[in-house]
Each structure stands twice: as C-alpha cells, then as structure tokens.
Amino acid sequence: MSNLDRQATLSVCGGRGFVPGEPVRELLSPRKVQLGESTEVRRLLPNLGRRMIGAWAFVDHYGPDDIAGEPGMQVPPHPHMGLQTVSWLHEGEVLHRDSTGSRQTVRPGELGLMTSGGAISHSEESPAEHARYLHGAQLWIALPEAHRTVEPHFQHHADLPTVRAPVLTATVILGELDGALSPGTTYSPLVGADLDLTAGAETALPLDPDFEYAVLAMSGEASVDGVPVQPGSMLYLGCGRTELPLRAVSDAGLMLLGGEPFAEEIVMWWNFIGRSNEDIAQARSDWMTGSRFGEVKGYDGDPLPAPELPPVPLKPRGRVR
Ligand code: MN
C-alpha cells in the first residue's frame, strides 16, 4: 500500500533515545487516513507517541470493509526506497504487481514481502473478482544501512510455520517465535506473528527480553498483559519481557510485532526511508522524472504523483517524540 496522504510530513525516527529498557503498557490510538475515494485506514505507526517498534516503521490496519460490487483497494503504481513492505490479510485478497515483474495474489495467511532495496515500484488492487470483505494490515520494515541497496525483490510464502496450543495458533510471518522460523528474508533481528485466540483463552507467549514489542488488535475482544485492546488499536510493550500474558473473551485476532530497537536514525517521508533530506529529495525527483524506480506493467491507471516536499528540510536525529 502507499502512503496516500497528500500532506505527507517528514518524520524522523529510529535511534535508541526513547526506547524504554523495561516493560511498559502504552495504548496507541490510530489516526484515520483516507486512501483514495472509498478506503479509510487506521494508522498506528508512525504515531505521535511512538515512531518505530524495532525496525517496524509503518503500520496501517484496514477493514473489515464490505466491498461487494465495489472496486475495493486500488493503489496505483508508486515507489518505495529503503524498506520492506509486508501485506497481511485476514479476509479478502490483494493483487500485487511490481517493477521486478512480480504479479502475485496474496490471500489470508500468506506473506507478501516486498524488499525495495534502493528503488522499486508496485501497485496493489482488489482483483475484479473479489471476496465480499477486505481486512488486513500493511506494514513497513526499515532496512538497516548495510542492506539499504539490496537487490529489489518480492517473496510470496503461502505455507508459514505455526506454533499451536489448544487455545492459540500463532503463525510466524517473519523472524522466529517459540522455535518456529519464517522463510521470509529479514535484514535485522525482528519478529512478526499472527495470533489467533479461541474464546476463553488464557495463555502466554515466550518473548525475547532484548526486543521491544507491540500488539496490534485485529478483531475480537482480548486483553494483552491485562490491558483490553480494541480492534484497530495497538499496545506498545517496551523491552525486558520474557513472556506475554494473553486473554481472549471472544475469538480474537492479534498481531505481535517486535524487534531489536533500531539503532540507526532514519528519515521517512511519503513512501521512502532514507538517512537524509537529500536522499528523500533525490528519490522524489527520480520518481517524478520516471527514472530509477522501473515500471509496473498491467495496472489499469496512471502512477501516483509524489506530494510536494515540506519547505523546511529535517536532519535525522534522536529523541524525537
Ligand atoms: Mn506500497
């Protein structure tokens, strides 16, 4: 998905300056963002109170939306730099096309993982024939300096490992959880998992005390470390935890996101992650002049133009809240 916000703001994130070393419970409220004419998403990251969770730098939750007889998701070709995108669905399907020639439908429980390296472009759309409901999350992961210009590529994994308990099925989207390892390629220590809880569940997940974590509530009625979480909200959990207590009142869906605090400071604007204002300005100029980001074939519509850059350039720095 693209950041379609026409007033894209330059945001500076990363750095260990404000990652708490101990467990915390910060409930993050979503910001509603309009994507195109009909789709509204709830943006959890970046958030006023929290910019990153490990290398996770962007989280949108959308749906469930009834798109029967409607176009559904229609995100025209747009560029990315310095990040990976994760498409994760609970309902519906999304057709992905990119400038490396990928054309892939992603369905619930399947990982669509695009690694931009220095430059890629892609489109995402609900196929003409689509399910009635669309419900999912779109997430970005910042690439560390050493891998920022890795060869752009797309991975699709339909058979992800799971961790099963009587009241919980955890699907490992990226990284490792309780000994189960996702086949998706990662470039810094992190984890992403989908948690499917049965009504009445009272259980705990093993965590890595060196990671910081958050839980995104997707559906149902659940509590995380004693805090009730509503669908579309996210609970930030800090570091220093060896396990995470979970309870479900009804059947519930959660996403666990975590990682080693991202030490590098980054600059994020529109669909780009760079290290300086110059990186960002160059990427914007290259997209607008049709160079570097390649071409998405087969999408019925024009590419997305970039918004205007903000007048005041920012340098990356820490301790920004
Ligand atoms: Mn995108």
Side-chain angles (χ1 to χ4, degrees):
M1 189 174 297
S2 168
N3 182 353
L4 294 183
D5 198 340
R6 301 313 296 175
Q7 277 85 46
T9 50
L10 196 60
S11 103
V12 178
C13 16
R16 289 172 181 264
F18 58 103
V19 175
E22 65 291 331
V24 296
R25 295 182 296 187
E26 287 176 14
L27 196 55
L28 303 179
S29 301
R31 181 165 70 93
K32 290 180 179 171
V33 177
Q34 199 72 27
L35 288 194
E37 284 168 18
S38 56
T39 313
E40 185 182 81
V41 304
R42 288 163 294 280
R43 182 151 304 156
L44 282 314
L45 275 188
N47 197 293
L48 270 182
R50 190 62 50 194
R51 301 285 178 82
M52 294 180 82
I53 298 147
W56 299 95
F58 182 95
V59 176
D60 271 355
H61 173 242
Y62 56 90
D65 292 324
D66 184 347
I67 58 168
E70 292 180 26
M73 181 187 288
Q74 297 296 328
V75 184
H78 60 277
H80 284 291
M81 169 180 81
L83 54 85
Q84 293 178 289
T85 66
V86 173
S87 301
W88 186 254
L89 290 170
H90 274 196
E91 294 179 88
E93 59 282 286
V94 170
L95 172 60
H96 164 97
R97 307 174 199 261
D98 68 43
S99 53
T100 71
S102 312
R103 185 187 184 283
Q104 178 67 52
T105 302
V106 179
R107 296 191 165 80
E110 303 178 355
L111 169 62
L113 176 65
M114 185 179 79
T115 303
S116 75
I120 201 168
S121 56
H122 74 147
S123 64
E124 291 156 294
E125 65 199 283
S126 298
E129 297 277 316
H130 56 250
R132 177 168 183 181
Y133 291 103
L134 181 62
H135 181 205
Q138 172 75 15
L139 311 100
W140 299 353
I141 299 164
L143 288 171
E145 186 64 30
H147 303 286
R148 270 216 293 152
T149 56
V150 69
E151 188 73 17
H153 62 277
F154 180 78
Q155 297 176 322
H156 175 244
H157 294 287
D159 192 15
L160 295 169
T162 55
V163 177
R164 287 176 194 277
V167 293
L168 167 68
T169 299
T171 304
V172 187
I173 302 168
L174 281 173
E176 182 256 326
L177 183 71
D178 203 16
L181 182 66
S182 164
T185 303
T186 54
Y187 296 91
S188 63
L190 60 84
V191 67
D194 188 86
L195 311 177
D196 185 9
L197 291 155
T198 305
E202 196 161 349
T203 184
L205 269 183
L207 298 184
D208 180 337
D210 294 332
F211 279 18
E212 59 177 333
Y213 288 95
V215 169
L216 169 65
M218 297 286 287
S219 61
E221 205 176 328
S223 67
V224 177
D225 193 20
V227 180
V229 286
Q230 304 301 322
S233 68
M234 191 159 72
L235 183 68
Y236 178 73
L237 294 157
C239 300
R241 293 173 181 269
T242 54
E243 64 166 32
L244 184 62
L246 300 168
R247 291 185 63 185
V249 178
S250 66
D251 288 352
L254 306 172
M255 286 182 78
L256 176 72
L257 305 174
E260 207 168 77
F262 198 75
E264 296 168 36
E265 290 164 358
I266 64 174
V267 177
M268 190 163 129
W269 178 80
W270 194 41
N271 296 310
F272 304 132
I273 291 180
R275 294 297 182 275
S276 68
N277 191 70
E278 290 72 26
D279 277 356
I280 300 288
Q282 186 64 54
R284 182 189 184 280
S285 163
D286 289 344
W287 172 246
M288 293 304 280
T289 56
S291 53
R292 178 172 155 192
F293 289 95
E295 190 189 344
V296 179
K297 294 205 165 66
Y299 184 84
D300 184 18
D302 292 332
L304 271 183
E308 291 298 324
L309 272 170
V312 182
L314 287 185
K315 295 256 190 290
R317 55 197 162 92
R319 299 183 188 279
V320 177
R321 277 193 92 136

